[in-house]
Amino acid sequence: MLIKGKFTTRAVHAGQKPDPSTGSVMTPVYLTSTYVQESPGVHKGFEYSRTQNPTRKALEENLAALEGGDYGLCFASGMAAISAVISSLNCGDHVVSGNDLYGGTYRVFTKVFKRYGISFDFVDTTDPDAVVQALNPKTKLLWLETPTNPLLNITDIAKISKLAHEKNVPVAVDNTFATPYLQEPLSLGADLVVHSSTKYIGGHSDVVGGAVITSDKSWRERIQFIQNSVGAVPGPLDSFLLLRGTKTLALRMDRHCENALKIARFLSKHPKVAKVYYPGLESHKGHLLAKEQMRAFGGMISFEFAEGFEAAKKMASQTKVFALAESLGGVESLIGHPATMTHAAIPREERLKRGLTDGLIRLSVGIEDAEDLISDLDQALGVRAR
Ligand SMILES: *Cc1c(COP(=O)(O)O)cnc(C)c1O
């Protein structure tokens, strides 16, 4: 059931009509691997739960509706979703990717798919010339992340998609940081949207999941073929938890964004902070573009600690409300040190080239009270490194 309407209405209702057999308002968790058939090949659209499951189907329709796409396909993790997109390419194909991206994405591109003969070039996608120069006749995909992780760079999705399409190169956007509430890549011209639904979509740090959304029928067929052939699908309970998550996505994002802006302003005035990366700050180089292509600026902040590596590591372990942990997008605030945690898979020289220094701290700002979060950071920043 592809419900129309504004975002919050779609979030609560799309894909989730009451269960016809009982009237259950919430989509049941269909813990079944198989489905009875009336006669061979005659069934209700469900044969085997790797291929289709009603709880997963509700989630797929819900996420498609939230992204303004026609088709949603869900996976067991964000990495499984990303791998499904790249698995649909052939040996010899070339991919141009942004150069500031999730460490696991960089790893699967360079350490897994490269071995199968797919080549990757990493460029600064905030620079349209750099993107155009990297495209060649073998390029079969342009991979964007915006805002990027962890430096929150903003790429102009509409402009870059147009340039890529002039060379017949389809565009995929990892929309994990923005969520469909803050940014709709398909409406800006992208062909595919990818999510780690582990993050804001789930929103409660209790489930790992991924999704691909598209309005292009041939892409849908290709990705669905991989989904069913490879089988990295989410289970029905995971799908249920994610459906519960999307219902409050807009409310949570409003608070994440509000808190993050307050914290970014606090940090930018703090003497121990050398630089703050948050697209909501006027000083951020992607601020105007973010204002245009996003509803608000998100809940992620990175900042450079003036006193370097040891001091940054120490600071990251001194917070009491912010938990020191990988991941992001949950209701609780997290603090991380990308160089030793989320981005340790990227060689140090590569990291430094991109501006990801050893003194960088990343925050996933939760929905707690902003004043409590600020005083927690304030006390942690005050602690001296030995
Ligand atoms: C976490 C993350 C991924 C990977 O998703 P998993 O669910 O952890 O497999 C991909 N892209 C971004 C931007 C992420 O933050």
Side-chain angles (χ1 to χ4, degrees), residues 134-379:
L135 302 175
N136 71 48
K138 293 205 156 141
T139 310
K140 292 288 152 39
L141 190 66
L142 175 62
W143 188 272
L144 304 178
E145 232 182 75
T146 181
T148 61
N149 177 8
L151 294 174
L152 289 320
N153 289 320
I154 308 292
T155 287
D156 189 333
I157 299 173
K159 186 184 216 169
I160 297 293
S161 298
K162 191 160 171 279
L163 291 171
H165 289 161
E166 280 167 12
K167 309 245 171 179
N168 291 319
V169 174
V171 178
V173 177
D174 182 334
N175 205 27
T176 301
F177 267 39
T179 80
Y181 180 59
L182 301 184
Q183 173 171 280
E184 283 186 14
L186 297 179
S187 74
L188 294 167
D191 303 276
L192 297 162
V193 172
V194 176
H195 276 285
S196 166
S197 43
T198 313
K199 315 296 166 55
Y200 290 105
I201 287 178
H204 298 74
S205 306
D206 53 10
V207 61
V208 171
V212 178
I213 296 106
T214 184
S215 289
D216 182 308
K217 204 155 181 245
S218 71
W219 268 114
R220 185 243 189 161
E221 277 161 19
R222 287 164 74 179
I223 304 288
Q224 192 174 38
F225 180 78
I226 301 288
Q227 182 194 40
N228 186 45
S229 304
V230 176
V233 292
L237 188 58
D238 292 357
S239 302
F240 175 85
L241 287 170
L242 291 163
L243 274 172
R244 166 189 281 208
T246 61
K247 291 187 177 71
T248 56
L249 178 62
L251 304 179
R252 287 184 283 109
M253 290 318 291
D254 283 340
R255 177 63 80 90
H256 284 297
C257 294
E258 201 183 294
N259 281 356
L261 186 58
K262 286 181 186 159
I263 290 173
R265 290 200 171 125
F266 158 77
L267 289 170
S268 61
K269 289 192 201 102
H270 200 287
K272 288 208 182 158
V273 174
K275 192 168 165 88
V276 181
Y277 299 91
Y278 185 66
L281 293 178
E282 291 76 10
S283 60
H284 187 277
K285 70 179 191 312
H287 175 66
L288 290 178
L289 181 55
K291 225 169 141 173
E292 237 178 88
Q293 87 182 3
M294 298 173 73
R295 187 197 292 259
F297 306 103
M300 299 300 295
I301 302 173
S302 288
F303 65 96
E304 212 153 307
F305 199 59
E307 295 167 1
F309 184 57
E310 288 304 326
K313 267 191 3 192
K314 174 119 193 169
M315 189 251 152
S317 34
Q318 294 294 342
T319 51
K320 307 220 156 44
V321 183
F322 281 84
L324 177 63
E326 299 206 1
S327 197
L328 60 110
V331 289
E332 70 292 325
S333 291
L334 302 179
I335 186 165
H337 181 242
T340 53
M341 295 170 67
T342 44
H343 291 65
I346 304 177
R348 187 164 183 271
E349 319 83 76
E350 283 295 312
R351 270 193 274 119
L352 291 179
K353 260 197 264 168
R354 296 165 200 189
L356 203 169
T357 61
D358 293 336
L360 197 78
I361 299 277
R362 190 187 80 176
L363 303 177
S364 172
V365 177
I367 64 167
E368 302 97 328
D369 185 88
E371 276 178 33
D372 289 341
L373 295 177
I374 287 173
S375 63
D376 189 36
L377 290 172
D378 200 25
Q379 66 79 21

Side-chain angles (χ1 to χ4, degrees), residues 35-91:
Y35 308 82
V36 73
Q37 306 202 0
E38 257 172 60
S39 58
V42 179
H43 52 73
K44 297 180 159 61
F46 300 95
E47 297 148 281
Y48 183 61
S49 279
R50 173 167 23 81
T51 319
Q52 321 95 347
N53 175 280
T55 319
R56 187 177 101 208
K57 181 166 180 272
L59 176 65
E60 291 179 331
E61 290 185 7
N62 186 255
L63 292 180
L66 295 189
E67 283 288 356
D70 291 340
Y71 314 107
L73 293 153
C74 289
F75 292 87
S77 68
M79 290 321 303
I82 292 167
S83 299
V85 174
I86 307 299
S87 303
S88 73
L89 303 179
N90 293 311
C91 179

Side-chain angles (χ1 to χ4, degrees), residues 19-34:
D19 177 49
S21 59
T22 61
S24 159
V25 169
M26 285 304 129
T27 306
V29 183
Y30 285 93
L31 285 167
T32 187
S33 61
T34 189

